[in-house]
């Protein structure tokens, strides 16, 4: 049995609270159980130097964990003078996931930076960040549309993410920390609303997993992402 008592396919309670940051063009507080992430989207009238004059925009992301988001206080990475490899990996993943569903030419020569700050961590912070970041990005795009800054559709599809793994021999969805820290296999799936796969990260923490087990995890992920996309649609329609 899972530590939380959930069924193998059952996600934690998921909620989205859009518009929580007064000054940001887009924002969302996302909760996956006890994992809480504040996502904010900021518009800038510039692009990175390598895109200047090319007629297209850019979407990027930054990720960080607040000092008491975990059981013990961690030092701010700014105080250490550099970001960890984990932080860099996650923020690049978030950026790639968002750009996969954005028409960068329709955005024009502008950059949207999405910041994902983990307030409280209990496993799945990167997947919660991606899922909430999409809502913050959508809000930012609608903010631009309301001011006639764009006319063509910019966002091509939804994107959401979920962790899945093999815990005590059973494929399960949406691992919390108790499961993630002891799982035999841990994987993250980034999938669009139409079912397209943006990225899969999978690691055998103990014995290698089989092809059959992989497809079991993929099946769980697709069903979970379909539920997350439905919740995203409800959140942006309010």
């Amino acid at each position: 049995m899972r530590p939380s008592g959930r069924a193998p396919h059952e996600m934690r309670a998921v909620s989205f609270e859009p518009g929580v940051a007064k000054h940001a063009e887009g924002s969302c507080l996302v909760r996956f159980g006890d994992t809480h992430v504040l996502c904010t989207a900021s518009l800038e009238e510039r692009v990175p130097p390598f895109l200047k004059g090319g007629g297209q925009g850019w979407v990027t992301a930054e990720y960080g964990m607040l000092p008491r988001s975990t059981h013990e206080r961690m030092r701010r990475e700014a105080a250490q003078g550099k970001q960890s490899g984990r932080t860099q990996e996650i923020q690049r993943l978030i950026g790639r996931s968002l750009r996969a569903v954005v028409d960068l030419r329709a955005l024009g020569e502008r950059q949207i930076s999405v910041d994902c700050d983990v307030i409280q961590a209990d496993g799945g912070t990167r997947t919660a960040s991606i899922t909430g970041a999409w809502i913050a990005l959508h809000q930012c795009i609608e903010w631009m549309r309301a001011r006639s800054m764009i006319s063509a559709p910019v966002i091509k599809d939804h994107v959401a993410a979920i962790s899945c793994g093999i815990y005590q021999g059973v494929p399960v969805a949406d691992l919390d920390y108790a499961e993630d820290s002891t799982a035999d296999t841990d994987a993250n799936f980034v999938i669009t609303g139409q079912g397209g796969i943006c990225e899969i990260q999978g690691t055998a923490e103990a014995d290698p997993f089989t092809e059959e087990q992989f497809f079991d995890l993929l099946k769980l992920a697709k069903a979970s992402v379909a539920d997350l996309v439905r919740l995203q649609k409800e959140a942006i329609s309010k």
Side-chain angles (χ1 to χ4, degrees), residues 88-107:
Q88 293 181 51
E89 175 211 345
I90 292 174
Q91 61 191 27
R92 289 169 182 162
L93 170 65
I94 298 167
R96 288 194 301 270
S97 301
L98 296 175
R99 289 193 296 273
V101 294
V102 170
D103 184 337
L104 295 174
R105 291 207 166 271
L107 181 59

Side-chain angles (χ1 to χ4, degrees), residues 88 99 104 125 128 138 144 187 217:
Q88 293 181 51
R99 289 193 296 273
L104 295 174
T125 61
H138 181 274
M144 295 171 66
L217 295 177

